[in-house]
């Protein structure tokens, strides 16, 4: 069964985050997703506040840029939240936007090497292992968590290029694909990830999170067509890149196409000009999600 989630955009204020998260929890939406764009909200800080103010909502971190954080610190933060709110955190990591990483003096010469070392160490630390490693970017000397999770959460990773997609299929517990891909590129990306997963001889669980820009209500199609030029996307096939409609049934029908790619989680991404994100979240939880079950 596909889980329906909604992204809380970093253009929303920290005050809005709590209001929208509580709305999602009240509406029965299973999951929200927190971005971590520079230099806006911290996803982990927001996750802690949201988990503490909601009852059953899961929080996906999509995603933490690994050049910004020592892997031991990330493991400590994830383990702390997992210990307090078991099973309600889905951590995600990724390369980060390289221009932003350069702004803070953290741009790696080899993002792929960093992500490989980071994923390997992070998953091992969360599994309770004691590590001594000396990599190009990750160095740990006899490091283990005092309070590792009883059940380690799945660590998903963002990916776009073919090398990163293959790395994620080989090492991560899942993949997060963003809303700028479009149906055709999403299909190809998932095929690359699955091939790498198979080549690695893996049989463990693997999560697929797919983000779909979505607009609902009067003028939704016009808003989508105005949004498309803000991305380097072909504008002649908007239905390949977004879902829109006047009714929950139309939204559910559009999302089913993307779910058919094999997505475990469909993340609705509000457009930047979404006039009423709280209403959107309530419609998703109370009306659209039941239609997808």
């Amino acid at each position: 069964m596909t889980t329906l989630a909604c992204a809380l955009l970093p253009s929303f204020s920290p005050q809005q985050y709590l209001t929208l998260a509580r709305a999602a929890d009240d509406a029965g939406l299973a999951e929200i997703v927190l971005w971590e764009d520079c230099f806006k909200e911290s996803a982990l800080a927001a996750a802690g506040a949201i988990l503490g103010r909601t009852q059953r909502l899961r929080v996906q971190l999509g995603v933490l840029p690994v050049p910004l954080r020592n892997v031991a610190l990330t493991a400590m933060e994830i383990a702390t939240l997992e210990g307090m709110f078991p099973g309600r955190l889905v951590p995600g990591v990724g390369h980060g936007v390289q221009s932003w990483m350069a702004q803070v003096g953290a741009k790696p010469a080899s993002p792929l090497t960093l992500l490989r070392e980071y994923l390997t160490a992070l998953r091992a630390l969360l599994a309770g292992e004691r590590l001594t490693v000396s990599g190009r970017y990750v160095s740990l000397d006899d490091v283990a968590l005092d309070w590792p999770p009883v059940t380690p959460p799945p660590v998903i990773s963002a990916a776009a290029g073919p090398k990163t997609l293959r790395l994620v299929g080989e090492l991560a517990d899942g993949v997060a694909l963003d809303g700028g891909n479009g149906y055709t590129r999403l299909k190809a990306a998932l095929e690359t990830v699955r091939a790498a997963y198979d080549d690695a001889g893996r049989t463990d669980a693997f999560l697929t999170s797919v983000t779909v820009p979505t607009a609902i209500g009067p003028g939704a199609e016009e808003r989508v067509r105005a949004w498309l030029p803000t991305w380097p996307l072909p504008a002649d096939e908007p239905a390949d890149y977004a879902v829109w409609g006047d009714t929950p049934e139309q939204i559910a029908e559009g999302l089913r196409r993307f779910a058919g790619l094999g997505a475990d989680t469909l993340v609705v991404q509000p457009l930047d000009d979404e006039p009423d994100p709280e209403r959107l979240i309530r419609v998703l939880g109370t009306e659209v999600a039941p239609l997808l079950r």
Side-chain angles (χ1 to χ4, degrees), residues 14 26 32 38 49 55 57 61-62 68 81 104 120 136 146 168 182 209 219 224 240 243-244 259 274-275 289 292:
D26 292 343
I32 55 99
C38 294
Q55 296 300 312
L57 190 69
L61 306 178
L68 280 178
L81 291 177
V104 296
T120 302
R136 181 173 178 183
D146 281 14
V168 170
S209 177
V224 167
D240 277 347
V243 167
W244 67 87
E274 171 56 48
L292 293 175

Side-chain angles (χ1 to χ4, degrees), residues 92-253:
V93 298
H95 291 311
V97 176
Q98 295 305 291
S99 60
W100 290 340
M101 300 302 101
Q103 279 184 272
V104 296
K107 181 180 178 180
S110 176
L112 201 66
T113 300
L114 170 57
L115 187 60
R116 174 177 291 277
E117 293 179 0
Y118 204 100
L119 271 172
T120 302
L122 180 59
R123 293 179 73 229
L125 289 169
L126 292 174
E129 297 182 25
R130 182 171 296 276
L131 295 185
T132 295
V133 297
S134 181
R136 181 173 178 183
Y137 295 103
V138 175
S139 295
L140 300 169
D141 182 9
D142 194 32
V143 174
L145 296 176
D146 281 14
W147 298 98
V150 173
T151 302
V155 178
I156 64 175
S157 179
K163 291 182 179 179
T164 306
L165 288 165
R166 288 197 59 83
L167 173 64
V168 170
E170 176 190 348
L171 292 179
D173 296 310
V175 64
L177 299 173
D178 70 32
N181 280 285
Y183 184 88
T184 301
R185 287 170 60 191
L186 283 169
K187 185 173 184 292
L190 290 172
E191 288 171 352
T192 299
V193 171
R194 289 167 183 151
Y197 174 93
D198 291 338
D199 290 345
R202 297 180 60 180
T203 58
D204 54 326
F206 191 87
L207 301 175
T208 300
S209 177
V210 172
T211 296
V212 185
T214 302
I216 188 171
E221 181 175 357
E222 290 75 13
R223 290 173 51 223
V224 167
R225 291 186 181 276
W227 166 83
L228 277 171
T230 67
W231 289 71
L233 307 173
D236 55 339
E237 295 292 342
D240 277 347
Y241 293 91
V243 167
W244 67 87
D246 292 329
T247 66
E249 290 78 13
Q250 290 173 324
I251 297 299
E253 183 59 31

